[in-house]
Amino acid sequence: MKNHIIIYFAAVLFVFTSSLIAQENKENRFVDSLLNRMTLEEKIGQLVELVTPNSVTEKMLSNGNVSSILGIKDADIANELQHIAVEESRLGIPLLFTNDVIHGYNTTFPIPLAEASSWNPGLIEEACRIAAIEAASNGTHLTFAPMVDIARDPRWGRIAEGSGEDVYLGSVIAEARIKGFQGNDLKSKSSIGACAKHFVAYGAAEGGKDYNTVDISERTLREIYLPPFKASVDVGVVSIMSAFNDLNGIPASANYFTLTEILRNEWNFDGLVISDYNSIPELVKHRFARNKAEAAAKALTAGVDMDMAGDDMKWSVYAPHLDSLIKNKIISEKILNESVRRVLRVKHRLGLFENPYVDKDFYKSNMPSFSERKNTALRLARESIVLLKNENNLLPLKKHLQKITVIGELADNPHHPLGPWNTAPILENVVTPLDGIKNYASKKTEVEFIKGCNVEGNDRAEFDRAITAAKSSDVVIMVIGETREMSGEAASRTNIDIPGVQLDLVKEIIKTGTPVVVVLMNGRPLTIPWLDENVPAVLETWFLGDQTGNALAQVLFGDYNPSGKLPVTFPRNVGQIPIYYSHKSTGRPFNGNDKYTAKYLDVDITPLYPFGYGLSYTDFEYSEITTSKRNYNSDEIIEVSVTVRNTGLIDGEEVIQLYITDKFASITRPVKELKDFTKVLIKPGETKKIKFVITPDKLSFYNIDMDKLVEPGEFTISIGGNSRDVISKSIIIND
Ligand code: GLC
C-alpha cells in the first residue's frame, strides 16, 4: 500500500513538473520566434517606457518605439493606444500599461506602513486583490508595488510606503502583496503584475535623506535588505525596479553585482528589471557615467532591461543611444536580446498577446461590489490602528456621552487620510475622523468640531475657541500629526516632532482637565515623549484611507478592540536614530548604571515604543514555552508551543511573536530577530495553545566566511506580544 502511495505522488509530481517545463518551453519558443523577427529599432523600442501618456505619438506606437506607458488610468484610452500598437505596427507587440498602485486604486486602503501594523498578511492580500481588479478594469497591466525596502530611519519619508524595519515581517508582507496583485493566474483579467522595489537598499540612505548614498557591508545587504526581494522572487514577482541610490559606490541602476550576479545568477530571476524614474540618465549626476550614452551602456550591461524615461522620448537614454552602441560594438546585441527577451516574456506571462485589450464587459459581472470593497478597507483600516497608551481605560469611550469635542485640521479634511501615493482615489468616499465619530456617537451626543490650528504654521487664533469647547466636553479627541505631503517620496524630515503648534494646543487642552484622546495621523514614527507622559490615551492611526473615520470610531467606541502592533520602532528623540529592536549587543551593553557602557548622557537607550508593540482593551498572559526537546541537530525541525490566555473581559486579537537569539556565533549577531508570528482571536477567559515550527533556515545566517548556515550552540526562543516583553527558553543545536 505504502509503495502505491509513493508511486502515486511521484507520478503526480512528474506530471506537474512536466507541464511546467512544457509551458516554459512554449513561452520560450514564442518569445524567441518573435525576437528573431525583430529589427534593431524594434528591439530597442521594447526597452522604453514613457511616463506620461500625452507624450506618446501614434508614430512612436506604429513604429514600435515604445514598449510601456506609465499613467494610463482609463480603459478606453488604453484600448485606443493598444489598438495602434497591435493593429498598426509591423509585429503587433502589445503595450504594457503600468501605474503606482501602492495602497489601492479607486478604493484607498491604509498606507503600507499602516497595513504592516495589522500583521495580517491574509487581509493585506485581500486588499491587493481588490486593487488589482480595480486597476485592471481601468487598463493597468502592472503595478510598481510592493515597495519592500527595509527602513530603520523615520526621517526618511518613504518609510510610509513599506513594511517597516523587520526582515521577516517585511518578507511575509511582500509575499502577501505580490500574491494579492498577481493572483493564481497572471493571465487572469482580475490580476496585474507586481514589481518589487527599489532594488536595492534604498531604505538605508544616509541620514534618512531621500536618494542619498548607501554604504553597507555585503553581510548587511544580504541579511537585511535583500531577503524581502528574494521572497518576492520566490513567490513569482514578474518585475523588479532598480533604485536611485548608489550602493557601496555603484549606483543601484548600474550595479552588475546586485542586478546580475545576485538577481539573475544566484536567484534565477527571469522577469524584467525596470529602472526607477530617470535613474539611468542620473548615472551622469552620480558622476558614474560621463554622458547619457555611457549611462545607457552601463545600465543595460549591468542588467536594467527597461528604461523608465521621463515625460517624453527626450528623457529616454535607451532610445537614442543603444542603436549606435550596438552598431559600434560597444555593447553586444546578445545583451540587448536578453533584455528584450525578458520584456516579451513578461508581456506573454501577463497574457497581453492573447488579450491586449480591456474587456469592459468582464468587469460588469466580476468586480466585487462597492460594499465588499468598503468592508475590506474598513477591516484592514481598523486592524492597522495601534493603541499606544490607555491610562485608566479611558478608551473605549462610553456611547452616551453628552458632548465630544473634536479638534485638529486632520479631523475634517478628506484629503489627508489618503496618505502619500494614490492612484485614482475617490475623495467623496473618504470617511474623515469627524464623519466617523458623528456616525458612531449616539444621537443624543453633541459632537462639536473646532480646527484649533493647522498642521503647519504657528497660527493660534482658534486656541481659545478650542479651549472653551473642551471645558464643556466629556472628552476631547485631538487628531494631530502630519499632512499627507509630509511623508512619501522626497519628504525626508530632520525634525520628527509633531509639526507646527499642534502640541502646544494639546498642552492647552490638557490643562482644561477634560480627558483627552490623541489620534495620530502620520506617515512615519514621530517623537512624542510629551504625549506619552501627559495624555491618557494615544492611538497611532497612520493614514488609513477611505475608511479612516469608521475604523477610528469603531476603536474609539469599542466596537472593535484594537490589535495593531508597531512594524517600526518609535524613538524618544531624533538623536537616537538609527534605533531598532534587532540591534547588536556591543562589547559594553548598557546595564542600567555603569558609566562606560553603550548609552547616552541625555536620553534613555530604550525606544519610546518598541517594535511589535501595541495595547489592547483586554490583557493577555503568556505561559511557559515548551519545546519538543532541549537538544537538536542542525537539520532538525524545532516544535515550540506556548499558551496564551485572555485575562480580560472582552474578545481580543493578539499578535503572538516568536524571536530567536543566537547566543554565540562566529560573527556578532542581533540580540533577537523575529522569525514567526500569528494573530489569533482569544475570548475572555479563554486559553489558546499556539504552536510554531522553527525550521533550520530560521536559525541560519551568513557566518564569518559568508556561508549561510546554522552554527551549533545555544539559542534562545522568546515569545511575546512585542519585541520587549517576552518569555524565553533556551535550546541547544548540536554539531
Ligand atoms: C518614483 C518612485 C517609484 C515610482 C516611480 C514611478 O520616482 O521612486 O517608486 O514607482 O517613480 O512613479
Side-chain angles (χ1 to χ4, degrees), residues 49 51 70 98-100 102 143-145 147 149 158 161 195 197-198 202 210-211 241-244 275-278 308 421 489:
E49 170 173 272
V51 171
L70 165 62
T98 64
N99 267 305
D100 289 287
I102 310 295
T143 175
F144 291 140
M147 188 266 224
D149 301 308
R158 303 200 76 166
E161 301 172 42
C195 178
K197 69 185 185 183
H198 307 78
Y202 182 30
D210 206 357
Y211 315 120
M241 182 185 292
S242 65
F244 291 121
S275 70
D276 200 343
Y277 192 128
N278 282 338
M308 184 195 299
W421 282 112
E489 184 173 356

PDB file of all heavy atoms in Angstrom, residues 49 51 70 98-100 102 143-145 147 149 158 161 195 197-198 202 210-211 241-244 275-278 308 421 489, ligand 1:
ATOM      1  N   GLU A  49      10.027  52.763 -21.604  1.00  0.00           N
ATOM      2  CA  GLU A  49       8.734  53.138 -21.022  1.00  0.00           C
ATOM      3  C   GLU A  49       8.681  54.661 -20.968  1.00  0.00           C
ATOM      4  O   GLU A  49       9.630  55.302 -20.510  1.00  0.00           O
ATOM      5  CB  GLU A  49       8.559  52.591 -19.605  1.00  0.00           C
ATOM      6  CG  GLU A  49       7.305  53.205 -18.954  1.00  0.00           C
ATOM      7  CD  GLU A  49       6.900  52.635 -17.616  1.00  0.00           C
ATOM      8  OE1 GLU A  49       6.147  51.650 -17.604  1.00  0.00           O
ATOM      9  OE2 GLU A  49       7.347  53.168 -16.586  1.00  0.00           O
ATOM     10  N   VAL A  51       6.604  58.046 -19.447  1.00  0.00           N
ATOM     11  CA  VAL A  51       5.908  58.244 -18.177  1.00  0.00           C
ATOM     12  C   VAL A  51       4.559  58.929 -18.338  1.00  0.00           C
ATOM     13  O   VAL A  51       3.631  58.633 -17.619  1.00  0.00           O
ATOM     14  CB  VAL A  51       6.800  59.065 -17.215  1.00  0.00           C
ATOM     15  CG1 VAL A  51       6.023  59.467 -15.989  1.00  0.00           C
ATOM     16  CG2 VAL A  51       8.005  58.230 -16.831  1.00  0.00           C
ATOM     17  N   LEU A  70       3.477  54.574 -18.524  1.00  0.00           N
ATOM     18  CA  LEU A  70       3.054  54.749 -17.129  1.00  0.00           C
ATOM     19  C   LEU A  70       2.005  55.847 -17.086  1.00  0.00           C
ATOM     20  O   LEU A  70       2.188  56.909 -17.688  1.00  0.00           O
ATOM     21  CB  LEU A  70       4.256  55.169 -16.274  1.00  0.00           C
ATOM     22  CG  LEU A  70       3.981  55.731 -14.886  1.00  0.00           C
ATOM     23  CD1 LEU A  70       3.284  54.723 -14.003  1.00  0.00           C
ATOM     24  CD2 LEU A  70       5.276  56.191 -14.221  1.00  0.00           C
ATOM     25  N   THR A  98       1.482  50.576 -17.054  1.00  0.00           N
ATOM     26  CA  THR A  98       1.871  50.477 -15.634  1.00  0.00           C
ATOM     27  C   THR A  98       1.307  51.648 -14.844  1.00  0.00           C
ATOM     28  O   THR A  98       0.984  52.696 -15.401  1.00  0.00           O
ATOM     29  CB  THR A  98       3.415  50.531 -15.502  1.00  0.00           C
ATOM     30  OG1 THR A  98       3.849  51.827 -15.972  1.00  0.00           O
ATOM     31  CG2 THR A  98       4.084  49.433 -16.297  1.00  0.00           C
ATOM     32  N   ASN A  99       1.163  51.428 -13.527  1.00  0.00           N
ATOM     33  CA  ASN A  99       0.774  52.503 -12.605  1.00  0.00           C
ATOM     34  C   ASN A  99       1.334  52.209 -11.226  1.00  0.00           C
ATOM     35  O   ASN A  99       1.664  51.060 -10.909  1.00  0.00           O
ATOM     36  CB  ASN A  99      -0.754  52.595 -12.508  1.00  0.00           C
ATOM     37  CG  ASN A  99      -1.325  53.602 -13.513  1.00  0.00           C
ATOM     38  OD1 ASN A  99      -0.907  54.767 -13.517  1.00  0.00           O
ATOM     39  ND2 ASN A  99      -2.232  53.161 -14.363  1.00  0.00           N
ATOM     40  N   ASP A 100       1.398  53.251 -10.400  1.00  0.00           N
ATOM     41  CA  ASP A 100       1.782  53.061  -8.997  1.00  0.00           C
ATOM     42  C   ASP A 100       0.534  52.760  -8.182  1.00  0.00           C
ATOM     43  O   ASP A 100      -0.114  53.665  -7.677  1.00  0.00           O
ATOM     44  CB  ASP A 100       2.449  54.334  -8.457  1.00  0.00           C
ATOM     45  CG  ASP A 100       3.816  54.532  -9.068  1.00  0.00           C
ATOM     46  OD1 ASP A 100       4.733  53.775  -8.693  1.00  0.00           O
ATOM     47  OD2 ASP A 100       3.956  55.411  -9.945  1.00  0.00           O
ATOM     48  N   ILE A 102      -0.183  51.539  -5.065  1.00  0.00           N
ATOM     49  CA  ILE A 102       0.613  51.257  -3.855  1.00  0.00           C
ATOM     50  C   ILE A 102      -0.251  50.763  -2.705  1.00  0.00           C
ATOM     51  O   ILE A 102       0.059  49.801  -2.029  1.00  0.00           O
ATOM     52  CB  ILE A 102       1.393  52.523  -3.430  1.00  0.00           C
ATOM     53  CG1 ILE A 102       2.145  53.126  -4.608  1.00  0.00           C
ATOM     54  CG2 ILE A 102       2.299  52.236  -2.244  1.00  0.00           C
ATOM     55  CD1 ILE A 102       3.243  52.287  -5.184  1.00  0.00           C
ATOM     56  N   THR A 143       1.685  46.912 -11.628  1.00  0.00           N
ATOM     57  CA  THR A 143       1.815  47.983 -10.636  1.00  0.00           C
ATOM     58  C   THR A 143       3.253  48.057 -10.143  1.00  0.00           C
ATOM     59  O   THR A 143       3.934  47.036 -10.028  1.00  0.00           O
ATOM     60  CB  THR A 143       0.909  47.770  -9.423  1.00  0.00           C
ATOM     61  OG1 THR A 143       1.188  48.808  -8.449  1.00  0.00           O
ATOM     62  CG2 THR A 143       1.129  46.415  -8.739  1.00  0.00           C
ATOM     63  N   PHE A 144       3.701  49.270  -9.890  1.00  0.00           N
ATOM     64  CA  PHE A 144       5.032  49.452  -9.293  1.00  0.00           C
ATOM     65  C   PHE A 144       4.904  49.340  -7.771  1.00  0.00           C
ATOM     66  O   PHE A 144       5.074  50.290  -7.020  1.00  0.00           O
ATOM     67  CB  PHE A 144       5.603  50.806  -9.715  1.00  0.00           C
ATOM     68  CG  PHE A 144       5.949  50.872 -11.152  1.00  0.00           C
ATOM     69  CD1 PHE A 144       5.697  52.008 -11.896  1.00  0.00           C
ATOM     70  CD2 PHE A 144       6.528  49.787 -11.802  1.00  0.00           C
ATOM     71  CE1 PHE A 144       6.025  52.080 -13.247  1.00  0.00           C
ATOM     72  CE2 PHE A 144       6.859  49.834 -13.148  1.00  0.00           C
ATOM     73  CZ  PHE A 144       6.612  50.984 -13.870  1.00  0.00           C
ATOM     74  N   ALA A 145       4.590  48.130  -7.363  1.00  0.00           N
ATOM     75  CA  ALA A 145       4.428  47.786  -5.939  1.00  0.00           C
ATOM     76  C   ALA A 145       4.574  46.275  -5.838  1.00  0.00           C
ATOM     77  O   ALA A 145       4.374  45.579  -6.835  1.00  0.00           O
ATOM     78  CB  ALA A 145       3.038  48.207  -5.453  1.00  0.00           C
ATOM     79  N   MET A 147       6.564  48.104  -2.493  1.00  0.00           N
ATOM     80  CA  MET A 147       7.843  48.641  -2.057  1.00  0.00           C
ATOM     81  C   MET A 147       8.289  47.789  -0.875  1.00  0.00           C
ATOM     82  O   MET A 147       7.618  47.746   0.145  1.00  0.00           O
ATOM     83  CB  MET A 147       7.658  50.109  -1.674  1.00  0.00           C
ATOM     84  CG  MET A 147       8.925  50.847  -1.392  1.00  0.00           C
ATOM     85  SD  MET A 147       9.296  50.829   0.357  1.00  0.00           S
ATOM     86  CE  MET A 147       9.764  52.516   0.599  1.00  0.00           C
ATOM     87  N   ASP A 149      11.414  47.907   0.630  1.00  0.00           N
ATOM     88  CA  ASP A 149      12.647  48.417   1.238  1.00  0.00           C
ATOM     89  C   ASP A 149      12.557  48.388   2.758  1.00  0.00           C
ATOM     90  O   ASP A 149      11.665  49.019   3.338  1.00  0.00           O
ATOM     91  CB  ASP A 149      12.883  49.865   0.792  1.00  0.00           C
ATOM     92  CG  ASP A 149      12.982  49.972  -0.727  1.00  0.00           C
ATOM     93  OD1 ASP A 149      13.775  49.216  -1.315  1.00  0.00           O
ATOM     94  OD2 ASP A 149      12.230  50.766  -1.316  1.00  0.00           O
ATOM     95  N   ARG A 158       9.949  57.863   2.878  1.00  0.00           N
ATOM     96  CA  ARG A 158       9.403  56.682   2.203  1.00  0.00           C
ATOM     97  C   ARG A 158       9.232  55.496   3.149  1.00  0.00           C
ATOM     98  O   ARG A 158       8.746  54.438   2.734  1.00  0.00           O
ATOM     99  CB  ARG A 158      10.265  56.318   1.001  1.00  0.00           C
ATOM    100  CG  ARG A 158      10.400  57.475   0.019  1.00  0.00           C
ATOM    101  CD  ARG A 158      10.812  57.080  -1.356  1.00  0.00           C
ATOM    102  NE  ARG A 158       9.692  56.485  -2.104  1.00  0.00           N
ATOM    103  CZ  ARG A 158       9.729  56.301  -3.431  1.00  0.00           C
ATOM    104  NH1 ARG A 158      10.796  56.633  -4.128  1.00  0.00           N
ATOM    105  NH2 ARG A 158       8.695  55.760  -4.063  1.00  0.00           N
ATOM    106  N   GLU A 161       5.899  53.926   2.868  1.00  0.00           N
ATOM    107  CA  GLU A 161       5.473  53.101   1.731  1.00  0.00           C
ATOM    108  C   GLU A 161       5.816  51.629   1.882  1.00  0.00           C
ATOM    109  O   GLU A 161       5.482  50.827   1.008  1.00  0.00           O
ATOM    110  CB  GLU A 161       6.150  53.610   0.450  1.00  0.00           C
ATOM    111  CG  GLU A 161       5.858  55.038   0.102  1.00  0.00           C
ATOM    112  CD  GLU A 161       6.731  55.489  -1.067  1.00  0.00           C
ATOM    113  OE1 GLU A 161       6.900  54.718  -2.031  1.00  0.00           O
ATOM    114  OE2 GLU A 161       7.248  56.607  -0.996  1.00  0.00           O
ATOM    115  N   CYS A 195       5.692  44.537  -8.998  1.00  0.00           N
ATOM    116  CA  CYS A 195       7.083  44.980  -9.198  1.00  0.00           C
ATOM    117  C   CYS A 195       7.694  45.266  -7.837  1.00  0.00           C
ATOM    118  O   CYS A 195       7.317  46.228  -7.171  1.00  0.00           O
ATOM    119  CB  CYS A 195       7.108  46.242 -10.062  1.00  0.00           C
ATOM    120  SG  CYS A 195       8.768  46.905 -10.314  1.00  0.00           S
ATOM    121  N   LYS A 197      10.182  46.735  -5.360  1.00  0.00           N
ATOM    122  CA  LYS A 197      11.085  47.880  -5.481  1.00  0.00           C
ATOM    123  C   LYS A 197      11.556  48.317  -4.117  1.00  0.00           C
ATOM    124  O   LYS A 197      10.942  47.923  -3.115  1.00  0.00           O
ATOM    125  CB  LYS A 197      10.364  49.014  -6.227  1.00  0.00           C
ATOM    126  CG  LYS A 197       9.213  49.652  -5.445  1.00  0.00           C
ATOM    127  CD  LYS A 197       8.467  50.691  -6.310  1.00  0.00           C
ATOM    128  CE  LYS A 197       7.414  51.418  -5.499  1.00  0.00           C
ATOM    129  NZ  LYS A 197       6.626  52.375  -6.288  1.00  0.00           N
ATOM    130  N   HIS A 198      12.664  49.111  -4.002  1.00  0.00           N
ATOM    131  CA  HIS A 198      13.563  49.602  -5.035  1.00  0.00           C
ATOM    132  C   HIS A 198      14.887  48.872  -4.836  1.00  0.00           C
ATOM    133  O   HIS A 198      15.483  48.980  -3.769  1.00  0.00           O
ATOM    134  CB  HIS A 198      13.743  51.105  -4.875  1.00  0.00           C
ATOM    135  CG  HIS A 198      12.462  51.866  -4.830  1.00  0.00           C
ATOM    136  ND1 HIS A 198      11.646  51.939  -3.711  1.00  0.00           N
ATOM    137  CD2 HIS A 198      11.820  52.584  -5.788  1.00  0.00           C
ATOM    138  CE1 HIS A 198      10.585  52.701  -3.978  1.00  0.00           C
ATOM    139  NE2 HIS A 198      10.655  53.091  -5.225  1.00  0.00           N
ATOM    140  N   TYR A 202      17.577  50.923  -0.768  1.00  0.00           N
ATOM    141  CA  TYR A 202      17.181  52.342  -0.855  1.00  0.00           C
ATOM    142  C   TYR A 202      16.842  52.891   0.525  1.00  0.00           C
ATOM    143  O   TYR A 202      17.054  54.042   0.831  1.00  0.00           O
ATOM    144  CB  TYR A 202      16.005  52.411  -1.808  1.00  0.00           C
ATOM    145  CG  TYR A 202      15.392  53.732  -2.145  1.00  0.00           C
ATOM    146  CD1 TYR A 202      16.110  54.923  -2.170  1.00  0.00           C
ATOM    147  CD2 TYR A 202      14.048  53.791  -2.472  1.00  0.00           C
ATOM    148  CE1 TYR A 202      15.514  56.132  -2.512  1.00  0.00           C
ATOM    149  CE2 TYR A 202      13.441  54.985  -2.819  1.00  0.00           C
ATOM    150  CZ  TYR A 202      14.165  56.145  -2.830  1.00  0.00           C
ATOM    151  OH  TYR A 202      13.564  57.347  -3.165  1.00  0.00           O
ATOM    152  N   ASP A 210      16.345  61.348   1.414  1.00  0.00           N
ATOM    153  CA  ASP A 210      15.921  60.580   0.244  1.00  0.00           C
ATOM    154  C   ASP A 210      16.972  60.686  -0.861  1.00  0.00           C
ATOM    155  O   ASP A 210      17.621  61.724  -1.004  1.00  0.00           O
ATOM    156  CB  ASP A 210      14.568  61.092  -0.266  1.00  0.00           C
ATOM    157  CG  ASP A 210      13.813  59.987  -1.000  1.00  0.00           C
ATOM    158  OD1 ASP A 210      14.377  58.879  -1.150  1.00  0.00           O
ATOM    159  OD2 ASP A 210      12.665  60.211  -1.389  1.00  0.00           O
ATOM    160  N   TYR A 211      17.115  59.608  -1.613  1.00  0.00           N
ATOM    161  CA  TYR A 211      18.034  59.499  -2.752  1.00  0.00           C
ATOM    162  C   TYR A 211      19.503  59.505  -2.319  1.00  0.00           C
ATOM    163  O   TYR A 211      20.389  59.500  -3.169  1.00  0.00           O
ATOM    164  CB  TYR A 211      17.832  60.643  -3.767  1.00  0.00           C
ATOM    165  CG  TYR A 211      16.406  60.963  -4.118  1.00  0.00           C
ATOM    166  CD1 TYR A 211      15.880  62.231  -3.885  1.00  0.00           C
ATOM    167  CD2 TYR A 211      15.550  60.001  -4.654  1.00  0.00           C
ATOM    168  CE1 TYR A 211      14.558  62.539  -4.195  1.00  0.00           C
ATOM    169  CE2 TYR A 211      14.234  60.297  -4.971  1.00  0.00           C
ATOM    170  CZ  TYR A 211      13.745  61.568  -4.733  1.00  0.00           C
ATOM    171  OH  TYR A 211      12.434  61.877  -5.046  1.00  0.00           O
ATOM    172  N   MET A 241      12.206  46.787  -9.697  1.00  0.00           N
ATOM    173  CA  MET A 241      12.621  48.131 -10.082  1.00  0.00           C
ATOM    174  C   MET A 241      13.966  48.467  -9.453  1.00  0.00           C
ATOM    175  O   MET A 241      14.139  48.297  -8.244  1.00  0.00           O
ATOM    176  CB  MET A 241      11.572  49.158  -9.629  1.00  0.00           C
ATOM    177  CG  MET A 241      11.909  50.579 -10.048  1.00  0.00           C
ATOM    178  SD  MET A 241      10.740  51.782  -9.391  1.00  0.00           S
ATOM    179  CE  MET A 241       9.277  51.350 -10.297  1.00  0.00           C
ATOM    180  N   SER A 242      14.883  48.949 -10.292  1.00  0.00           N
ATOM    181  CA  SER A 242      16.207  49.310  -9.761  1.00  0.00           C
ATOM    182  C   SER A 242      16.123  50.693  -9.137  1.00  0.00           C
ATOM    183  O   SER A 242      15.413  51.580  -9.612  1.00  0.00           O
ATOM    184  CB  SER A 242      17.252  49.288 -10.881  1.00  0.00           C
ATOM    185  OG  SER A 242      16.978  50.289 -11.834  1.00  0.00           O
ATOM    186  N   ALA A 243      16.894  50.900  -8.076  1.00  0.00           N
ATOM    187  CA  ALA A 243      16.736  52.081  -7.224  1.00  0.00           C
ATOM    188  C   ALA A 243      17.574  53.268  -7.689  1.00  0.00           C
ATOM    189  O   ALA A 243      18.464  53.145  -8.527  1.00  0.00           O
ATOM    190  CB  ALA A 243      17.095  51.714  -5.789  1.00  0.00           C
ATOM    191  N   PHE A 244      17.306  54.432  -7.058  1.00  0.00           N
ATOM    192  CA  PHE A 244      18.042  55.662  -7.362  1.00  0.00           C
ATOM    193  C   PHE A 244      19.426  55.675  -6.731  1.00  0.00           C
ATOM    194  O   PHE A 244      20.359  56.258  -7.261  1.00  0.00           O
ATOM    195  CB  PHE A 244      17.292  56.872  -6.770  1.00  0.00           C
ATOM    196  CG  PHE A 244      15.988  57.200  -7.417  1.00  0.00           C
ATOM    197  CD1 PHE A 244      14.811  57.197  -6.684  1.00  0.00           C
ATOM    198  CD2 PHE A 244      15.932  57.551  -8.760  1.00  0.00           C
ATOM    199  CE1 PHE A 244      13.601  57.533  -7.269  1.00  0.00           C
ATOM    200  CE2 PHE A 244      14.717  57.894  -9.353  1.00  0.00           C
ATOM    201  CZ  PHE A 244      13.558  57.883  -8.607  1.00  0.00           C
ATOM    202  N   SER A 275      14.091  50.440 -14.654  1.00  0.00           N
ATOM    203  CA  SER A 275      14.776  51.456 -13.836  1.00  0.00           C
ATOM    204  C   SER A 275      13.737  52.304 -13.127  1.00  0.00           C
ATOM    205  O   SER A 275      12.592  52.415 -13.578  1.00  0.00           O
ATOM    206  CB  SER A 275      15.618  52.352 -14.748  1.00  0.00           C
ATOM    207  OG  SER A 275      14.747  53.165 -15.544  1.00  0.00           O
ATOM    208  N   ASP A 276      14.129  52.905 -12.012  1.00  0.00           N
ATOM    209  CA  ASP A 276      13.249  53.912 -11.423  1.00  0.00           C
ATOM    210  C   ASP A 276      13.327  55.145 -12.333  1.00  0.00           C
ATOM    211  O   ASP A 276      14.232  55.290 -13.157  1.00  0.00           O
ATOM    212  CB  ASP A 276      13.661  54.217  -9.973  1.00  0.00           C
ATOM    213  CG  ASP A 276      12.521  54.851  -9.193  1.00  0.00           C
ATOM    214  OD1 ASP A 276      11.564  55.332  -9.832  1.00  0.00           O
ATOM    215  OD2 ASP A 276      12.588  54.850  -7.957  1.00  0.00           O
ATOM    216  N   TYR A 277      12.414  56.024 -12.147  1.00  0.00           N
ATOM    217  CA  TYR A 277      12.175  57.191 -12.995  1.00  0.00           C
ATOM    218  C   TYR A 277      13.474  57.967 -13.279  1.00  0.00           C
ATOM    219  O   TYR A 277      14.006  58.609 -12.393  1.00  0.00           O
ATOM    220  CB  TYR A 277      11.194  58.084 -12.227  1.00  0.00           C
ATOM    221  CG  TYR A 277      10.561  59.207 -12.940  1.00  0.00           C
ATOM    222  CD1 TYR A 277       9.181  59.366 -12.916  1.00  0.00           C
ATOM    223  CD2 TYR A 277      11.313  60.163 -13.621  1.00  0.00           C
ATOM    224  CE1 TYR A 277       8.562  60.450 -13.541  1.00  0.00           C
ATOM    225  CE2 TYR A 277      10.712  61.229 -14.238  1.00  0.00           C
ATOM    226  CZ  TYR A 277       9.337  61.380 -14.205  1.00  0.00           C
ATOM    227  OH  TYR A 277       8.750  62.453 -14.801  1.00  0.00           O
ATOM    228  N   ASN A 278      14.000  57.840 -14.514  1.00  0.00           N
ATOM    229  CA  ASN A 278      15.200  58.583 -14.909  1.00  0.00           C
ATOM    230  C   ASN A 278      16.465  58.173 -14.172  1.00  0.00           C
ATOM    231  O   ASN A 278      17.467  58.883 -14.222  1.00  0.00           O
ATOM    232  CB  ASN A 278      15.018  60.094 -14.693  1.00  0.00           C
ATOM    233  CG  ASN A 278      14.197  60.714 -15.796  1.00  0.00           C
ATOM    234  OD1 ASN A 278      14.106  60.154 -16.882  1.00  0.00           O
ATOM    235  ND2 ASN A 278      13.566  61.822 -15.517  1.00  0.00           N
ATOM    236  N   MET A 308      12.781  53.477 -17.660  1.00  0.00           N
ATOM    237  CA  MET A 308      11.613  54.288 -17.338  1.00  0.00           C
ATOM    238  C   MET A 308      12.016  55.740 -17.582  1.00  0.00           C
ATOM    239  O   MET A 308      12.660  56.382 -16.744  1.00  0.00           O
ATOM    240  CB  MET A 308      11.158  54.122 -15.883  1.00  0.00           C
ATOM    241  CG  MET A 308       9.885  54.900 -15.574  1.00  0.00           C
ATOM    242  SD  MET A 308       9.537  55.101 -13.826  1.00  0.00           S
ATOM    243  CE  MET A 308       9.372  53.457 -13.276  1.00  0.00           C
ATOM    244  N   TRP A 421       1.004  58.717  -2.133  1.00  0.00           N
ATOM    245  CA  TRP A 421       0.818  57.745  -3.223  1.00  0.00           C
ATOM    246  C   TRP A 421      -0.627  57.278  -3.359  1.00  0.00           C
ATOM    247  O   TRP A 421      -1.079  56.346  -2.695  1.00  0.00           O
ATOM    248  CB  TRP A 421       1.706  56.498  -3.042  1.00  0.00           C
ATOM    249  CG  TRP A 421       3.125  56.701  -3.410  1.00  0.00           C
ATOM    250  CD1 TRP A 421       4.179  56.699  -2.566  1.00  0.00           C
ATOM    251  CD2 TRP A 421       3.669  56.962  -4.701  1.00  0.00           C
ATOM    252  NE1 TRP A 421       5.354  56.943  -3.243  1.00  0.00           N
ATOM    253  CE2 TRP A 421       5.065  57.111  -4.578  1.00  0.00           C
ATOM    254  CE3 TRP A 421       3.126  57.101  -5.982  1.00  0.00           C
ATOM    255  CZ2 TRP A 421       5.909  57.385  -5.639  1.00  0.00           C
ATOM    256  CZ3 TRP A 421       3.949  57.374  -7.046  1.00  0.00           C
ATOM    257  CH2 TRP A 421       5.335  57.511  -6.881  1.00  0.00           C
ATOM    258  N   GLU A 489       7.645  60.060  -1.071  1.00  0.00           N
ATOM    259  CA  GLU A 489       8.876  60.371  -1.795  1.00  0.00           C
ATOM    260  C   GLU A 489       9.275  61.831  -1.626  1.00  0.00           C
ATOM    261  O   GLU A 489       8.432  62.703  -1.571  1.00  0.00           O
ATOM    262  CB  GLU A 489       8.735  60.042  -3.270  1.00  0.00           C
ATOM    263  CG  GLU A 489      10.043  60.270  -4.015  1.00  0.00           C
ATOM    264  CD  GLU A 489      10.023  59.805  -5.446  1.00  0.00           C
ATOM    265  OE1 GLU A 489       9.015  59.224  -5.874  1.00  0.00           O
ATOM    266  OE2 GLU A 489      11.042  60.004  -6.142  1.00  0.00           O
TER     267      GLU A 489
HETATM  268  C1  GLC B   1       9.113  57.410  -8.473  1.00  0.00           C
HETATM  269  C2  GLC B   1       9.382  56.384  -7.390  1.00  0.00           C
HETATM  270  C3  GLC B   1       8.961  54.983  -7.745  1.00  0.00           C
HETATM  271  C4  GLC B   1       7.753  55.039  -8.663  1.00  0.00           C
HETATM  272  C5  GLC B   1       8.206  55.675  -9.980  1.00  0.00           C
HETATM  273  C6  GLC B   1       7.052  55.807 -10.969  1.00  0.00           C
HETATM  274  O1  GLC B   1      10.176  58.318  -8.540  1.00  0.00           O
HETATM  275  O2  GLC B   1      10.710  56.312  -6.870  1.00  0.00           O
HETATM  276  O3  GLC B   1       8.686  54.296  -6.518  1.00  0.00           O
HETATM  277  O4  GLC B   1       7.247  53.736  -8.888  1.00  0.00           O
HETATM  278  O5  GLC B   1       8.818  56.937  -9.780  1.00  0.00           O
HETATM  279  O6  GLC B   1       6.108  56.705 -10.476  1.00  0.00           O
END
